[in-house]
């Protein structure tokens, strides 16, 4: 009963904040802050809610946002890990939906996606895919909070994640198949026999271009969707200078976009790993 009351209070407080914050921002006429929020994602304007911290407004804001998210995920892992250690080998799940239940639900969803795409050896790649899923999802949702900024709204953060996926699946592909076999598969485009070697001068450049396009695609897709989504919300928050519920539907749509973009990024990462590590029959 106590847990139910706590969850209800926290949920109500969060909903009230999401409803009241855009109205408050609009009613206070924070045009200058919104102008900073709409400006280039590479500038050094700090997060509006954290500008009281000395020096924050001098740091590139996507670095601040990423640092905050790393701290949040670290705290979540500590609390959930402590809860798991306390419960021991308990097989029956808790009747109450809390932080641990949410984390376990997200982990099961990620593992299910990996199992369907990668195959039997999917668990060895969970540290990368799981980290990406948690970081991207929580960062996207953090960007929905008025006055905060998300690191996935910046092309540098997305490029770093995309390049991590790029180098990781090449490493795992070479480790699974061997360097010679991996390069042969890339040079011939997977076409076996004499035909593959004949077509190699045509297929090898195409394979190189397709591999180089993968991190670019991951970067621009996440950046474009999150940048556009958050800028549209920022525009509607400051559209009317009186308290109004107009931005609320855009917050709901933004939550859907946040989940979908997390799914797409992780799905494509799984596909790239599967293609790189698949053994020929």
């Amino acid at each position: 009963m106590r847990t139910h009351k706590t969850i209800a209070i926290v949920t109500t407080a969060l909903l009230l904040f999401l409803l009241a914050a855009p109205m408050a921002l609009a009613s206070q006429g924070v045009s200058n802050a919104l102008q900073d929020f709409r400006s280039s994602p590479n500038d050094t304007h700090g997060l509006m809610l954290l500008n009281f911290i000395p020096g924050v407004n001098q740091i590139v804001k996507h670095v601040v946002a990423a640092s905050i998210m790393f701290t949040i995920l670290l705290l979540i892992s500590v609390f959930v890990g402590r809860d798991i250690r306390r419960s021991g080998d308990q097989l029956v799940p808790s009747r109450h939906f809390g932080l641990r239940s949410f984390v376990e639900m997200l982990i099961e969803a990620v593992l299910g996606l990996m199992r369907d795409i990668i195959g039997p050896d999917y668990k060895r790649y969970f540290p990368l895919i799981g980290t990406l899923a948690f970081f991207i999802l929580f960062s996207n949702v953090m960007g929905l909070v008025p006055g905060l900024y998300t690191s996935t709204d910046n092309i540098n953060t997305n490029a770093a994640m995309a390049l991590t996926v790029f180098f990781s699946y090449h490493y795992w592909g070479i480790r699974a198949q061997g360097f010679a076999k991996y390069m042969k598969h890339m040079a011939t485009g997977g076409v076996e026999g004499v035909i593959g070697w004949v077509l190699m001068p045509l297929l090898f450049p195409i394979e190189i271009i397709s591999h180089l396009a993968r991190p670019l695609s991951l970067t621009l897709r996440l950046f474009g969707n999150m940048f556009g989504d958050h800028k549209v919300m920022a525009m509607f928050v400051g559209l009317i200078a009186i308290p109004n519920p107009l931005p609320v539907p855009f917050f709901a749509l933004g939550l859907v976009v946040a989940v979908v973009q997390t799914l797409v990024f992780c799905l494509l990462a799984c596909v790239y790993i599967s293609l790189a590590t698949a053994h020929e029959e």
Side-chain angles (χ1 to χ4, degrees):
M1 179 65 68
R2 191 173 183 180
T3 306
H4 283 303
K5 289 182 178 179
T6 303
I7 295 174
I9 293 172
V10 173
T11 304
T12 303
L14 179 60
L15 290 175
L16 289 176
F17 176 76
L18 291 177
L19 288 172
M23 300 179 189
L25 285 174
S27 63
Q28 292 174 5
V30 288
S31 57
N32 292 334
L34 287 172
Q35 183 62 35
D36 291 342
F37 187 71
R38 296 191 194 105
S39 58
S40 171
N42 298 315
D43 59 29
T44 56
H45 293 291
L47 284 74
M48 289 187 288
L49 295 183
L50 300 178
N51 281 344
F52 66 92
I53 302 177
V56 168
N57 58 350
Q58 301 299 323
I59 306 175
V60 179
K61 58 185 180 181
H62 75 272
V63 176
V64 180
S67 301
I68 294 173
M69 188 48 55
F70 286 140
T71 304
I72 293 174
L73 293 178
L74 178 61
L75 292 175
I76 290 175
S77 65
V78 170
F79 290 140
V80 173
R82 185 179 61 180
D83 189 19
I84 293 175
R85 287 191 297 270
R86 285 179 176 178
S87 62
D89 297 329
Q90 179 182 356
L91 297 178
V92 180
S94 174
R95 292 165 43 189
H96 311 297
F97 185 84
L99 179 61
R100 176 182 172 181
S101 301
F102 174 77
V103 171
E104 290 177 344
M105 181 179 65
L106 184 56
I107 290 175
E108 287 296 328
V110 174
L111 288 174
L113 178 70
M114 296 176 62
R115 180 175 57 249
D116 293 340
I117 298 176
I118 299 176
D121 296 330
Y122 67 96
K123 289 185 178 180
R124 69 173 60 181
Y125 310 111
F126 178 76
L128 174 63
I129 305 300
T131 302
L132 290 173
F134 275 89
F135 180 78
I136 295 174
L137 178 60
F138 280 73
S139 295
N140 292 348
V141 173
M142 188 176 77
L144 300 177
V145 180
L148 289 183
Y149 180 81
T150 172
S151 56
T152 54
D153 205 346
N154 186 279
I155 198 169
N156 298 296
T157 304
N158 299 337
M161 293 188 293
L163 288 174
T164 301
V165 172
F166 177 78
F167 289 113
S168 296
Y169 80 73
H170 280 302
Y171 167 75
W172 283 321
I174 293 173
R175 186 176 178 180
Q177 302 189 39
F179 181 78
K181 188 175 181 181
Y182 186 77
M183 293 305 298
K184 174 190 172 184
H185 185 275
M186 182 181 294
T188 60
V191 180
E192 295 297 325
V194 180
I195 298 178
W197 292 106
V198 172
L199 295 177
M200 184 180 67
L202 175 63
L203 295 178
F204 187 61
I206 295 176
E207 283 290 311
I208 294 296
I209 294 173
S210 68
H211 280 276
L212 293 177
R214 289 176 179 178
L216 183 63
S217 173
L218 289 174
T219 300
L220 295 181
R221 181 183 294 106
L222 181 58
F223 166 72
N225 283 278
M226 301 317 302
F227 182 85
D229 177 64
H230 295 150
K231 296 314 171 185
V232 167
M233 283 199 302
M235 179 184 67
F236 276 93
V237 165
L239 184 62
I240 303 176
I242 59 174
N244 67 93
L246 182 61
V248 174
F250 293 93
F251 277 84
L253 181 61
L255 184 60
V256 174
V257 173
V259 175
V260 169
Q261 291 308 311
T262 303
L263 173 64
V264 171
F265 196 101
C266 294
L267 186 148
L268 290 176
C270 291
V271 170
Y272 298 153
I273 293 173
S274 177
L275 292 175
T277 58
H279 294 276
E280 299 174 4
E281 299 295 337

